[in-house]
Amino acid sequence: MSPKNAPREKRTGVFVCHCGINIAGTVDVKKVAETVGRHKGVVHAEDYVYMCSDPGQKLIVEAIKSQGLDSVVVACCSPTLHESTFRNAAKSAGLNPYQLEIANIREQCSWVHKDKDKATRKAIRITKSIIEKVKRNVSLQPISVPVTKRTLVIGGGISGIQAALDVANAGHEVILVEKSPSIGGHMIQLSETFPTLDCSQCILTPKMVEASKHPKIKLMTYSEVQDISGFVGNFKVKILKKPTYVDPEKCTLCDECSKVCPIVVPNEFDLGMTGRRAIYIPFPQAIPASYILDDKSCPSLFPIACGKCYHVCKPKAINYDMKPEIVEVDVGAVIVATGYDLYDKENMAEYGRGKYPDVLDGLQFERLCSASGPTKGQIIRPSDHKVPKEVVFIQCSGSRDPELHCAYCSKICCMYTAKHAMLYKHHVPDGQAYVFYIDIRSGGKNYEEFVQRAVENDGVLYLRGKVSKVFQEGDKLKVWGADTLTGKKIEIDADMVVLAQAMRPAKGADDVAKILKVPTDKDGFLAEAHPKLRPVESVTAGMYLAGAAQAPKDIPEAVAQASGAASKVLALFSSDTLSHNPVIAVVDEDLCSGCKLCIAMCPYGARIYNPEKKIVEVNDVLCEGCGSCIVACPSGAAQQINFTDEQIHSMVDTILEE
Amino acid sequence: MEHFEPKIVCFACNWCTSAGADLAGTSRMEYDPSGILIRVMCSSRVDPQHVLWAFRKGADGVLLGGCHPGDCHYVDGNTKTLRRMILLKKLMGDLGIEPERLRLDWISAAEGKKFVSVMNEFTDQVRTLGPLELDGQTNPLGRE
Ligand SMILES: Cc1cc2nc3c(=O)[nH]c(=O)nc-3n(C[C@H](O)[C@H](O)[C@H](O)COP(=O)(O)OP(=O)(O)OC[C@H]3O[C@@H](n4cnc5c(N)ncnc54)[C@H](O)[C@@H]3O)c2cc1C
Ligand code: FES
């Protein structure tokens, strides 16, 4: 298929469309047909009033057959409109569709010029340049690739779980990889959820169980994706399975091990508000339902274990010899649902850099409200366990602050702050809740009503303005702010402050993005292929996005996007093979010196060095056909099929011809 | 000089600039007919050698249009183009071609208007520069 072997003396046919008067009004189409008809290699040229109409297409088909045309130019409107129409017509006449090209003499000529003489001359040049191109086109077949109908879902939050269930329920295998010891994500940490105030765990745990019991879903918790290669329909994935040192099949959750473990470290699930042992279960409803031994906290696992947990474990579930494992799987599609983390309180110099125990972030407050939380749902101060009577909620903490923090709006904080203030008032009816806000963004079904409920039914005091400073004085937290509506300075002696910290992409999500070669946006969230029309696809074919990994989202939006991503996967899996654009890069093996300069140019990893042949080869399926590597090749070994240097030069020549 | 009609070759990427030119057409915006487009899939397909070839073959100006930074259909082809063309512009002076005869611009599929103004501005600029003279003696490009 090397472009060098393209036949030289072709019989080209040219068809000039009037497009009613759209072209013929400014371009002398008869003259165009007549002039290009004399161009070298053109054996047939005619004009017609509507080339794209049935009779117009018939003209092309018949001429291909009767004149034995082996290349065709249609001079008409933009190729975005009718290239496929005419290529299909050519195909029906037995001509390879890639032997037909469009000369755009409408959008780029007749519609933008008034001088008929100049427009006609320009149309002739455009058409001739395309004749020169098509003369050197080679026939191509779409590249066909099989599809592996298995999906990798990365991230076991609500988005990942939903996507996995949707794909699995349609009958396809799913591998759900979660880096922490249990699936559930941040949603499992929440107490109650806006706008309905239903208990988060009550609605999520059934889904977690369903995912874990689903015959088509393979759960891989405490695991991370290490490497991925291949392309849409055919990815090869390496997954690192970290050792948990406990066999989940044998663990009976008796808790004897953690009772004897001498090590206490901060509990991640309660965001450091409680402690846990080195051998622990993240939370009672964790899935898989098993204890794990955290080898970073257990000081005596290497070289010799203290052995306390091992000795009390009756079912003999503990195995100190468990090793990290690399699991390799083939998948056809990937859904990335790595979620978010909150912007660290330590970044907030103005609010005490996370030093004050009674300044919490939103998720800590969720744990405090939660019936399964460290205080069993009692709202008390971490510092002295007293019930706080004055609580200040600060919205946009770290959001909408392009100078110091994140420029964007985290979108959900208005809603969860209203929820927090409401929950606080339900727990402490005689307490006072203040909310500092820039403005309230409550777009969403029943959301505005929810915020109004907080104000009207629960007497939450909303203050429009920013808090400039929070500092500890005695056992009070001084909150200095301004009410921008009254123009007054405000000072509150608060017992507790809750910061609605900005939502950031999950820690480590940038590494995942690099491994997957999925671009991120300026804030580090995964970038969608099109901000409006392709919101669940990444630009990398076969990789889809779901949930807060793509942008701050609440649960309903995360679930909707997850189902959207799943439906994209199902559409992909609906056929057994995929076809791929064949207008790609090729390498002339004789000319390639193996310098590898092209490899760095390729954003798709499609250029691969072959050490045996000592040359670089192109993976047909990975190559998207941009042509950027061609320019990098110092020896002229690389060419883009049907966009060769020779073709471009000959087009330039005809355009500049006297 | 008054009737000088410059010859301009305009390389345009398929996804943005060529689509921007199409939009200028559908919006019936008028512009100078001196430039003729060559559509490539991405601006990064355009080799500095293609540009020099055009000058050698009689172009008075070369316009190169791609997607805005960050918008390239092929991730970052346009950044590669930018780097290549900056280098080429430096070389052009040495070759006796005013660097102003080459223009690289980002024109999106939505910027029909920008396409028109860039095309007009550039044509005017080349018209002011006059025909590109590469005489035999100082003709490193071997212009015919
Ligand atoms: C304080 C607070 C209160 C909220 N209250 C509400 C509410 O009331 N109602 C509502 O609708 N929404 C609420 N939300 C929003 C809700 O938390 C999110 O919409 C939801 O959790 C998003 O789900 P997700 O699956 O996209 O992300 P996450 O919940 O963040 O889940 C992502 C998962 O991916 C895993 N992961 C991350 N990186 C990797 C990796 N590299 N490899 C493998 N796994 C990885 C994580 O461990 C995690 O399990 C609240 C948010 C906050 C901060
Ligand atoms: S596709 Fe337009 S510059 Fe790359």
Side-chain angles (χ1 to χ4, degrees):
Chain A
M1 175 150 73
S2 158
K4 275 169 98 191
N5 305 332
R8 270 302 127 81
E9 279 315 313
K10 277 204 188 163
R11 297 173 60 80
T12 306
V14 184
F15 301 85
V16 185
C17 181
H18 300 200
C19 195
I21 55 158
N22 280 304
I23 296 173
T26 355
V27 167
D28 183 343
V29 281
K30 296 249 179 260
K31 190 169 173 192
V32 174
E34 224 175 82
T35 317
V36 301
R38 293 193 298 270
H39 193 82
K40 194 163 176 277
V42 176
V43 296
H44 179 94
E46 65 181 308
D47 59 281
Y48 185 69
V49 60
Y50 286 113
M51 265 310 160
C52 61
S53 68
D54 256 0
Q57 292 189 47
K58 269 206 193 96
L59 287 179
I60 301 177
V61 171
E62 271 153 29
I64 292 174
K65 289 183 183 160
S66 65
Q67 305 278 330
L69 302 180
D70 52 14
S71 58
V72 170
V73 173
V74 187
C76 57
C77 53
S78 167
T80 51
L81 294 164
H82 281 307
E83 186 180 76
S84 56
T85 315
F86 292 123
R87 285 191 167 173
N88 284 337
K91 197 172 164 192
S92 74
L95 182 67
N96 183 284
Y98 294 90
Q99 297 290 0
L100 183 142
E101 293 279 358
I102 303 289
N104 182 345
I105 60 166
R106 191 178 75 173
E107 282 81 352
Q108 298 183 2
C109 188
S110 71
W111 273 354
V112 286
H113 307 307
K114 290 219 172 85
D115 182 320
K116 193 157 182 175
D117 188 43
K118 284 185 180 166
T120 305
R121 275 188 280 144
K122 180 166 170 178
I124 292 170
R125 282 181 200 272
I126 294 174
T127 311
K128 280 186 177 177
S129 74
I130 301 294
I131 295 170
E132 286 301 316
K133 175 179 192 296
V134 81
K135 264 187 191 175
R136 295 166 174 85
N137 269 13
V138 293
S139 296
L140 298 170
Q141 296 302 332
I143 299 164
S144 167
V145 262
V147 179
T148 306
K149 296 184 186 178
R150 188 180 297 117
T151 306
L152 171 70
V153 177
I154 309 175
I158 180 60
S159 310
I161 293 173
Q162 183 66 44
L165 284 172
D166 285 355
V167 174
N169 284 339
H172 301 294
E173 282 176 43
V174 175
I175 295 164
L176 177 54
V177 173
E178 165 60 51
K179 72 172 175 190
S180 63
S182 170
I183 55 170
H186 286 104
M187 185 175 164
I188 199 69
Q189 291 175 298
L190 306 181
S191 57
E192 277 133 35
T193 52
F194 64 75
T196 44
L197 293 189
D198 36 6
C199 141
S200 188
Q201 301 203 340
C202 314
I203 54 178
L204 180 57
T205 37
K207 273 191 185 284
M208 290 163 62
V209 173
E210 192 187 343
S212 72
K213 298 240 183 304
H214 202 292
K216 293 278 181 189
I217 299 180
K218 182 176 174 194
L219 265 192
M220 289 186 70
T221 49
Y222 217 42
S223 300
E224 275 168 47
V225 173
Q226 270 209 323
D227 186 45
I228 191 159
S229 60
F231 44 86
V232 53
N234 296 274
F235 296 108
K236 283 198 184 309
V237 192
K238 278 194 189 135
I239 302 163
L240 168 71
K241 210 171 160 14
K242 293 175 277 186
T244 60
Y245 306 98
V246 181
D247 183 345
E249 302 292 320
K250 292 189 186 154
C251 175
T252 59
L253 308 178
C254 68
D255 195 37
E256 293 302 322
C257 54
S258 111
K259 280 185 200 147
V260 296
C261 177
I263 304 296
V264 182
V265 291
N267 181 346
E268 298 85 354
F269 187 72
D270 285 333
L271 299 124
M273 291 192 294
T274 55
R276 63 158 173 87
R277 305 290 160 149
I279 189 159
Y280 71 110
I281 184 162
F283 51 95
Q285 311 90 325
I287 291 205
S290 171
Y291 278 63
I292 77 155
L293 174 57
D294 158 21
D295 56 16
K296 289 197 186 61
S297 311
C298 175
S300 49
L301 184 56
F302 304 111
I304 315 158
C306 82
K308 287 206 170 82
C309 53
Y310 181 83
H311 291 299
V312 297
C313 181
K314 294 224 175 71
K316 297 275 167 255
I318 297 174
N319 172 8
Y320 295 138
D321 295 326
M322 231 183 239
K323 295 269 166 335
E325 214 185 310
I326 302 278
V327 181
E328 292 189 25
V329 284
D330 290 342
V331 300
V334 181
I335 297 177
V336 200
T338 46
Y340 69 97
D341 275 316
L342 287 187
Y343 188 55
D344 224 315
K345 274 188 300 184
E346 282 171 26
N347 298 312
M348 310 309 296
E350 59 273 46
Y351 305 148
R353 285 205 183 280
K355 283 194 313 257
Y356 310 132
D358 300 328
V359 177
L360 307 181
D361 69 23
L363 280 174
Q364 287 176 316
F365 194 76
E366 291 284 339
R367 295 309 302 140
L368 218 50
C369 297
S370 169
S372 67
T375 57
K376 304 273 173 293
Q378 267 190 309
I379 297 181
I380 50 175
R381 308 210 309 173
S383 62
D384 55 10
H385 296 192
K386 283 191 192 144
V387 176
K389 291 292 161 132
E390 307 256 317
V391 180
V392 173
F393 295 88
I394 304 179
Q395 293 196 172
C396 307
S397 178
S399 296
R400 304 176 68 187
D401 188 345
E403 264 115 62
L404 295 176
H405 306 292
C406 310
Y408 57 86
C409 163
S410 291
K411 196 174 179 186
I412 61 160
C413 329
C414 286
M415 290 309 296
Y416 77 61
T417 301
K419 173 183 77 175
H420 286 171
M422 214 184 245
L423 290 178
Y424 167 69
K425 289 288 290 182
H426 295 172
H427 283 89
V428 188
D430 62 337
Q432 182 59 57
Y434 305 88
V435 174
F436 278 91
Y437 69 103
I438 302 181
D439 42 39
I440 299 293
R441 300 184 170 177
S442 52
K445 198 166 166 176
N446 298 325
Y447 283 13
E448 175 60 21
E449 295 88 325
F450 184 80
V451 175
Q452 288 310 323
R453 240 166 75 201
V455 178
E456 281 159 23
N457 299 2
D458 296 304
V460 175
L461 193 58
Y462 270 77
L463 299 165
R464 189 173 198 271
K466 263 207 113 155
V467 171
S468 57
K469 198 169 172 167
V470 174
F471 59 98
Q472 185 100 43
E473 207 173 83
D475 70 342
K476 291 282 180 191
L477 290 160
K478 287 259 181 212
V479 178
W480 283 359
D483 182 338
T484 50
L485 289 181
T486 60
K488 283 204 190 109
K489 266 188 157 178
I490 299 182
E491 257 189 67
I492 299 170
D493 285 342
D495 299 311
M496 181 181 273
V497 172
V498 181
L499 305 176
Q501 287 299 96
M503 259 172 141
R504 300 281 311 140
K507 294 191 181 90
D510 47 342
D511 296 329
V512 180
K514 265 189 214 121
I515 291 170
L516 302 178
K517 297 196 191 73
V518 167
T520 49
D521 65 20
K522 65 179 193 333
D523 301 310
F525 290 102
L526 300 172
E528 63 280 9
H530 188 281
K532 289 166 199 76
L533 303 178
R534 295 171 69 195
V536 304
E537 294 159 79
S538 80
V539 294
T540 312
M543 301 217 182
Y544 306 93
L545 316 175
Q550 181 249 340
K553 278 191 191 69
D554 58 22
I555 298 162
E557 285 181 323
V559 169
Q561 197 184 19
S563 290
S567 84
K568 288 283 168 192
V569 169
L570 298 180
L572 176 72
F573 288 0
S574 64
S575 57
D576 297 328
T577 55
L578 290 173
S579 65
H580 185 75
N581 175 20
V583 181
I584 55 168
V586 283
V587 177
D588 185 327
E589 299 201 357
D590 299 335
L591 291 180
C592 177
S593 66
C595 72
K596 303 185 197 163
L597 280 176
C598 53
I599 293 181
M601 284 299 126
C602 181
Y604 307 102
R607 286 204 161 252
I608 298 144
Y609 184 68
N610 179 334
E612 266 158 45
K613 291 188 177 169
K614 295 202 173 59
I615 59 163
V616 177
E617 293 171 333
V618 177
N619 179 317
D620 288 3
V621 185
L622 285 183
C623 176
E624 290 284 335
C626 63
S628 142
C629 57
I630 318 293
V631 179
C633 179
S635 37
Q639 281 304 334
Q640 182 174 9
I641 301 179
N642 292 353
F643 280 98
T644 61
D645 286 337
E646 195 193 340
Q647 283 176 302
I648 293 174
H649 287 162
S650 64
M651 290 174 84
V652 171
D653 290 351
T654 35
I655 287 174
L656 297 172
E657 213 173 52
E658 286 307 326
Chain B
M1 220 27 130
E2 247 169 55
H3 298 294
F4 168 53
E5 286 302 337
K7 287 185 178 163
I8 291 170
V9 176
C10 172
F11 294 102
C13 82
N14 181 59
W15 305 96
C16 282
T17 305
S18 182
D22 280 357
L23 179 62
T26 27
S27 329
R28 309 294 202 282
M29 297 171 174
E30 206 194 336
Y31 57 86
D32 196 300
S34 304
I36 292 183
L37 241 78
I38 295 182
R39 184 175 61 98
V40 286
M41 294 316 284
C42 173
S43 69
S44 67
R45 173 65 191 96
V46 180
D47 196 318
Q49 308 227 36
H50 299 149
V51 177
L52 292 178
W53 178 282
F55 284 126
R56 179 148 76 91
K57 291 307 188 85
D60 302 300
V62 174
L63 181 64
L64 172 48
C67 313
H68 283 265
D71 288 351
C72 172
H73 190 74
Y74 306 97
V75 189
D76 58 354
N78 46 6
T79 358
K80 292 164 194 158
T81 311
L82 177 63
R83 277 192 239 128
R84 289 166 183 161
M85 294 306 145
I86 289 175
L87 207 67
L88 175 62
K89 268 188 177 255
K90 287 191 179 155
L91 260 166
M92 282 170 61
D94 296 342
L95 295 171
I97 310 168
E98 298 92 331
E100 300 79 50
R101 291 187 187 273
L102 169 62
R103 175 160 174 177
L104 170 64
D105 223 312
W106 311 132
I107 302 168
S108 81
E111 294 177 323
K113 222 170 154 180
K114 180 168 180 191
F115 180 83
V116 169
S117 61
V118 169
M119 206 58 162
N120 282 337
E121 269 171 43
F122 186 62
T123 315
D124 282 349
Q125 183 174 335
V126 175
R127 201 171 273 132
T128 320
L129 286 167
L132 172 60
E133 311 269 358
L134 292 171
D135 64 89
Q137 314 236 303
T138 55
N139 186 1
L141 293 178
R143 192 172 194 174
E144 282 137 27

